[in-house]
Amino acid sequence: MKHLWTTSVMLSASFMLAACGNSQVEAPEEETTEIPEEAAEGPKTLIDGLGNEVEIPSNPEKVLGSYLEDYLVSLDVTPVAQWSVSDGESIQDYLQEDLSGVPLIPHDLPYESVLEYEPDLMIIRDAVEQDMYEQYAQIAPTYVLKSSPTEWRETLTEVGEVLGMEGKAESVLETYDAKAQEKAEELSAVADSESAAAVWMVNNSLFVVHPERSSGAVMYGDLGLEIPEVVSNLSSDADWAAISLEELAQMDVDHLFFVNSDGPEAELFEDRLWQNIPAVQQDQVYQYGPETSWLYYGPIASEQVLDNVVDSITK
């Protein structure tokens, strides 16, 4: 969870450590990317987000897509290595059922680490410096995405195009949208016109999710929950905007989803302001740990949030 991306899920390196858990993954001696036969159609040439012509191999066996693992897994592709921070202190825990045994690579993709895994295709989420791009391109064809990191549907579609799996990507989207509609109808039966907010606590600081980003897009856009006024006022270009306890206490919200990176003994829970929040008093605060998908983007992360929200409110 962080180099400082344009998204503020990665608010700082320390926040990333708190948010992603402490799982360790041992690297096997060799790892081969699993690509479904559907993808073997190339080679082809695509123009990437930096304007480079990239020749995509017809059947890459070792795909490296750091911090794009959600998209790769949803397409049934196992990457050659997975994103991590501080030698595995932070990884994407919510994907580990599918990434078990996949070795780690540092989040900033040092040249030596990339070379070690010998990928035959690299897909990069964010723009990189030209000299670094040229180094990567010496190792393997390197494609920098055009789509915004905050638009997971467009990102999935583009990754599918790069891998020659457009049909699979479209199927994933259709399946997600059908489930989102079903869950929205289930939720409206018990919480019609009710509001919700997602708040992340890390290092005793509070942050509220942007209404159109990450899990906020799922709650409001896909499930149709109402946006509290305080959330609208605080939102900026950040995925998660800082909010004070005083502001949180003034929020008129029916349901509060609380991503807790500080643990059950956090000082916040003893504060009178916290205890006087209506959602707290009405037992409508739903806690989730940093190992869950609330801070992430992608079809798998979004589907898990769908389930979390509807299960919490309806059950």
Side-chain angles (χ1 to χ4, degrees):
M1 320 192 267
K2 326 202 170 198
H3 38 339
L4 191 57
W5 306 99
T6 55
T7 63
S8 69
V9 168
M10 313 301 180
L11 290 165
S12 67
S14 63
F15 287 1
M16 294 184 319
L17 299 181
C20 290
N22 296 306
S23 303
Q24 295 281 349
V25 177
E26 264 187 23
E29 292 185 9
E30 293 186 7
E31 185 70 30
T32 301
T33 300
E34 299 175 8
I35 300 285
E37 293 182 3
E38 166 192 350
E41 296 180 357
K44 59 187 176 185
T45 299
L46 297 176
I47 306 298
D48 75 353
L50 295 180
N52 298 308
E53 291 188 358
V54 184
E55 184 173 338
I56 308 297
S58 60
N59 189 20
E61 296 182 352
K62 292 184 175 182
V63 175
L64 178 60
S66 181
Y67 215 62
L68 293 168
E69 289 84 357
D70 191 307
Y71 304 94
L72 296 177
V73 170
S74 74
L75 296 172
D76 299 324
V77 174
T78 302
V80 69
Q82 63 169 310
W83 176 94
S84 71
V85 174
S86 300
D87 295 323
E89 286 187 33
S90 299
I91 58 175
Q92 296 169 96
D93 293 277
Y94 77 101
L95 292 173
Q96 290 312 301
E97 184 175 339
D98 296 289
L99 295 178
S100 176
V102 175
L104 308 179
I105 191 166
H107 68 89
D108 54 351
L109 297 176
Y111 175 83
E112 296 78 9
S113 298
V114 174
L115 185 62
E116 175 185 353
Y117 289 111
E118 300 181 330
D120 48 19
L121 176 63
M122 284 186 69
I123 306 175
I124 297 181
R125 194 188 79 153
D126 298 293
V128 295
E129 297 294 334
Q130 184 63 27
D131 59 344
M132 184 62 72
Y133 176 88
E134 291 173 356
Q135 290 183 46
Y136 293 151
Q138 290 177 3
I139 301 173
T142 301
Y143 182 95
V144 179
L145 293 176
K146 303 173 186 176
S147 49
S148 168
T150 65
E151 300 293 341
W152 72 260
R153 288 174 170 82
E154 287 79 358
T155 300
L156 175 64
T157 298
E158 187 175 6
V159 172
E161 178 187 10
V162 173
L163 295 175
M165 301 176 66
E166 293 92 333
K168 175 65 175 177
E170 183 178 354
S171 176
V172 171
L173 285 172
E174 290 175 350
T175 299
Y176 176 85
D177 289 339
K179 179 172 182 176
Q181 182 176 351
E182 176 185 338
K183 289 293 183 180
E185 292 172 355
E186 182 180 347
L187 187 61
S188 66
V190 298
D192 186 37
S193 300
E194 294 187 4
S195 62
V199 174
W200 175 27
M201 178 173 66
V202 55
N203 294 340
N204 206 37
S205 296
L206 299 174
F207 303 86
V208 64
V209 74
H210 189 289
E212 298 177 357
R213 307 277 182 85
S214 186
S215 47
V218 178
M219 288 194 304
Y220 307 122
D222 296 335
L223 291 174
L225 287 164
E226 297 294 324
I227 305 172
E229 183 178 356
V230 172
V231 173
S232 298
N233 293 341
L234 283 174
S235 297
S236 61
D237 288 336
D239 285 5
W240 296 80
I243 183 173
S244 67
L245 180 55
E246 290 76 14
E247 290 169 319
L248 179 59
Q250 294 171 8
M251 186 185 298
D252 183 14
V253 62
D254 296 304
H255 304 278
L256 184 61
F257 295 89
F258 197 75
V259 184
N260 184 357
S261 292
D262 288 356
E265 304 302 322
E267 297 178 3
L268 172 76
F269 301 130
E270 301 301 322
D271 194 293
R272 287 186 178 180
L273 282 174
W274 170 263
Q275 295 172 355
N276 288 330
I277 294 174
V280 175
Q281 295 178 338
Q282 295 167 15
D283 197 25
Q284 292 185 156
V285 176
Y286 318 103
Q287 285 204 52
Y288 289 91
E291 75 282 356
T292 56
S293 67
W294 279 79
L295 305 173
Y296 294 92
Y297 287 94
I300 297 173
S302 297
E303 183 172 354
Q304 290 183 11
V305 172
L306 282 177
D307 290 333
N308 290 164
V309 172
V310 177
D311 288 349
S312 295
I313 294 178
T314 62
K315 297 179 180 179

